[in-house]
Amino acid sequence: MKALLILLLAQLCSASLVPEREKDPEYWRRQAQETLRNALRLQRLNQNVAKNLILFLGDGMGVSTVTAARILKGQLQHGQGEESLLEMDKFPFVALAKTYNTNAQVPDSAGTATAYLCGVKANEGTLGVSAGVTRDRCNTTKGQEVTSILRWAKDAGKAVGIVTTTRVTHATPSAAYAHSANRDWYSDGEMPPEALEGGCKDIARQLVENIPDIEVILGGGRKYMYPKNVSDVEYPHEEKHRGTRLDRRNLVQAWQDAKPPGKVAEYVWHRRGLLALNLSRVDFLLVKFPFQSGMWNAAGQEEGRAGITPCLLSNLPGSGGGRIDHGHHEGKAKQALHEAVELDRAIGLATRLTSTQDTLSVVTADHSHVFTFGGYTPRGNPIFGLAPMQSDVDRKPFTSILYGNGPGYKIVAGERENVSAVDFAHADYQAQSAVPLRQETHGGEDVAVFARGPMAHLLHGVHEQNYIPHAMAYAACIGSNRGHCNAAARPATPLLLPFLGLLLLLLC
């Protein structure tokens, strides 16, 4: 009798979760018909030349992360969550990208960045080079360098930019400008003697020298720009922020010195300086914050890291995205998913500021993670909440969100930790994992590619990841594949990657 009562109560509770309109079959039929009409409109393909390209990269934003972030977004807006739409969900064309590296089934961020920025698959841990380069071996690099879509745009006379919530020398953004046998060679202070003797350059130096006319560079990793042990301008007493360069060079000064006479090149190292700029009078902008791993979004984690306020974090292009990966690696799903929601907010603003007639926007990820959520949760279940059942093996509750491996593996008194005894909704909570690791790993499955704007239909079906920049370049008439372009069709105004107007308008 008790079991029957519990079952009836569960059924009544489940029924109450269904919105009244969804009980009417006509609701679903009308929704399907509207979706069909929208799909039929896509037969009129947008074959304009893209004047602007925007690439949003959610580092580690696998499909399970996208789905969970959608639910989180809806719940933050006081809905049940599942019916919510991310901004990227509204993009009309969706594809899948195969993320493997040439030597790795489950990829890393350097090899994948080389694919989606340079159009060439590469070995794990290597940046902006072909698969002929072996990780750590400087002497395999020469002649194997490959260029990125950022370089193709510059060669076509366009304006370009890099904006990231990680350090600019991190693997994900650095494939846009660097060629390195090791993604960790941030400055010469991190390079082995044989690499320096072999003539290989560190990534920070390449940021300044390889493509000196990048209009906008915004991100972290300031210490890699300064001589070893030079105190940080903002945190002079903190050793972790001191310069790391062995060559004693000041790369910020080198960046300014390399600009043509008459051009205004502004370097900014804190929010106040950025807000004080008259950006209409700035030709080149370098913003270097002190964070090394990156900054969290404004939704509650590491708020205001290194003096950066949540207002700025939540409103910069690319805000959110860079640290989805870091949150997952630490097993901190709350941080990862809030970061994904922030990225989606930036995507929405970019959508409102641009036109599908002349701007191709692409949203994708470099790789996935071993992140999942399940457990037969009812409609509207808090995304960071418990599953509605206990394990039928150890009789303990479990959170819906779990990891295949990572730091959340805990054994208490010889058994799985009882999560009801911990604050599993805390931002720093590490979700339980099946295998103990200090850092959770990437996942090997395909990632989604969302596209809207000119030639967005070229991103369809299942592609190798390196196809992405080729399709974008084709849409913008840049790079080597321009046979379909003619003088009348070429855009006369700058192409930005990401869109510069977004940077100018998103400051608080």
Side-chain angles (χ1 to χ4, degrees), residues 192-263:
E194 56 269 25
L196 294 173
E197 293 164 5
C200 284
K201 297 180 181 180
D202 63 87
I203 296 169
R205 179 179 171 188
Q206 293 187 62
L207 172 65
V208 173
E209 295 181 356
N210 285 5
I211 310 178
D213 50 353
I214 299 174
E215 278 76 8
V216 175
I217 302 169
L218 190 155
R222 191 160 67 208
K223 69 179 183 179
Y224 305 119
M225 309 291 283
Y226 289 100
K228 188 173 179 63
N229 291 326
V230 167
S231 296
D232 183 75
V233 63
E234 193 172 8
Y235 300 96
H237 304 299
E238 294 190 25
E239 186 175 350
K240 67 180 180 179
H241 292 308
R242 291 177 184 169
T244 64
R245 302 200 62 78
L246 300 178
D247 60 10
R248 312 301 298 172
R249 292 184 66 189
N250 179 333
L251 291 186
V252 172
Q253 189 61 54
W255 174 82
Q256 291 177 316
D257 292 344
K259 298 301 172 285
K263 296 293 184 180

Side-chain angles (χ1 to χ4, degrees), residues 223-472:
K223 69 179 183 179
Y224 305 119
M225 309 291 283
Y226 289 100
K228 188 173 179 63
N229 291 326
V230 167
S231 296
D232 183 75
V233 63
E234 193 172 8
Y235 300 96
H237 304 299
E238 294 190 25
E239 186 175 350
K240 67 180 180 179
H241 292 308
R242 291 177 184 169
T244 64
R245 302 200 62 78
L246 300 178
D247 60 10
R248 312 301 298 172
R249 292 184 66 189
N250 179 333
L251 291 186
V252 172
Q253 189 61 54
W255 174 82
Q256 291 177 316
D257 292 344
K259 298 301 172 285
K263 296 293 184 180
V264 177
E266 292 285 357
Y267 166 62
V268 174
W269 51 269
H270 56 63
R271 176 178 180 268
R272 293 188 307 277
L274 187 56
L275 294 178
L277 287 177
N278 182 346
L279 293 170
S280 64
R281 299 179 181 177
V282 175
D283 298 298
F284 299 96
L285 177 62
L286 173 64
V287 183
K288 292 289 283 185
F289 296 126
F291 53 83
Q292 311 311 329
S293 296
M295 53 187 178
W296 288 115
N297 61 72
Q301 298 74 254
E302 293 194 32
E303 186 171 279
R305 170 185 279 257
I308 310 303
T309 68
C311 184
L312 179 61
L313 297 191
S314 62
N315 288 289
L316 283 173
S319 176
R323 300 213 68 191
I324 297 169
D325 181 71
H326 297 162
H328 280 324
H329 278 311
E330 295 177 18
K332 298 177 180 178
K334 193 165 191 176
Q335 295 183 352
L337 296 185
H338 274 287
E339 183 86 348
V341 171
E342 289 299 303
L343 170 65
D344 195 64
R345 204 151 72 93
I347 293 167
L349 187 48
T351 298
R352 294 189 292 275
L353 290 173
T354 60
S355 167
T356 56
Q357 294 306 303
D358 63 6
T359 301
L360 172 62
S361 299
V362 176
V363 181
T364 189
D366 47 355
H367 54 74
S368 186
H369 279 266
V370 291
F371 161 86
T372 188
F373 68 101
Y376 301 117
T377 47
R379 178 79 175 269
N381 198 71
I383 192 61
F384 302 116
L386 294 173
M389 55 193 288
Q390 293 184 345
S391 165
D392 56 6
V393 177
D394 66 12
R395 304 300 176 185
K396 289 186 175 67
F398 59 95
T399 56
S400 172
I401 285 174
L402 297 167
Y403 286 94
N405 57 52
Y409 180 93
K410 290 182 178 66
I411 297 296
V412 178
E415 298 181 349
R416 181 173 66 92
E417 182 180 45
N418 190 332
V419 296
S420 64
V422 300
D423 183 4
F424 53 79
H426 193 277
D428 288 326
Y429 173 71
Q430 293 176 308
Q432 291 183 339
S433 67
V435 177
L437 288 176
R438 289 187 177 89
Q439 289 276 298
E440 176 264 6
T441 73
H442 295 169
E445 71 269 23
D446 300 347
V447 296
V449 185
F450 305 86
R452 71 185 284 271
M455 297 292 179
H457 57 278
L458 298 179
L459 292 159
H460 68 288
V462 180
H463 301 294
E464 295 286 359
Q465 193 172 38
N466 66 291
Y467 170 72
I468 295 171
H470 293 284
M472 295 181 72

Side-chain angles (χ1 to χ4, degrees), residues 115-131:
Y116 63 75
L117 289 174
C118 302
V120 173
K121 287 226 171 189
N123 292 329
E124 64 88 25
T126 64
L127 286 168
V129 292
S130 76

